[in-house]
């Protein structure tokens, strides 16, 4: 296993080495509650396989990531924000605000988020 995967916080969560409040899991994706929520509903959706960002996706990871909008829509329904609206976004690289270098998507909702993309 590569050093990056050994030390990656989200890889550790995916391997169940670190506890998280899981809300969805299948063979290739995992979703859990953000520990520092920026909205009443703030979930993180990741591919279980390590990938730092969009430029590093293998075909297998790209296939899994392609299902994230569908999973996000299901979670938005389950968490009661589907009707009022929700946001799905990812950050790529330090200037974007990415702090955990494992490709992940934020599902945010439960309050008016406005047009501003910065949290």
């Amino acid at each position: 296993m590569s050093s990056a995967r050994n030390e990656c916080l989200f890889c550790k969560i995916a391997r169940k080495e670190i506890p998280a409040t899981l809300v969805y899991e299948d063979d290739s994706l995992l979703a859990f509650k953000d520990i520092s929520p920026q909205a009443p509903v703030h979930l993180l959706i990741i591919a279980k396989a390590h990938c730092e960002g969009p430029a590093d996706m293998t075909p297998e990871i790209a296939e899994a990531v392609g299902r994230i909008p569908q999973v996000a829509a299901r979670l938005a329904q389950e968490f009661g924000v589907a009707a009022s609206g929700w946001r799905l976004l990812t950050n790529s690289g330090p200037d974007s605000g990415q702090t955990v270098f494992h490709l992940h998507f934020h599902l945010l909702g439960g309050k008016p988020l406005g047009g501003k993309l910065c949290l």
Side-chain angles (χ1 to χ4, degrees), residues 26-88:
D26 65 26
D27 289 342
S28 57
L29 297 175
L30 186 69
F32 50 94
K33 291 185 176 182
D34 192 292
I35 62 168
S36 298
Q38 303 297 305
V41 174
H42 188 170
L43 308 175
L44 300 176
I45 308 170
I46 67 168
K48 290 180 178 180
H50 184 77
C51 173
E52 285 194 14
D56 304 310
M57 286 193 290
T58 64
E60 295 79 20
I61 292 172
E63 184 178 329
V65 168
R67 293 187 304 102
I68 287 178
Q70 179 183 21
V71 170
R74 174 180 164 180
L75 290 169
Q77 186 70 39
E78 289 177 19
F79 280 82
V81 297
S84 60
W86 49 280
R87 178 174 292 157
L88 182 66

Side-chain angles (χ1 to χ4, degrees), residues 106-118:
H106 298 259
L107 187 157
L108 300 135
K111 71 175 189 178
L113 298 171
K116 188 170 131 181
L117 292 181
C118 297

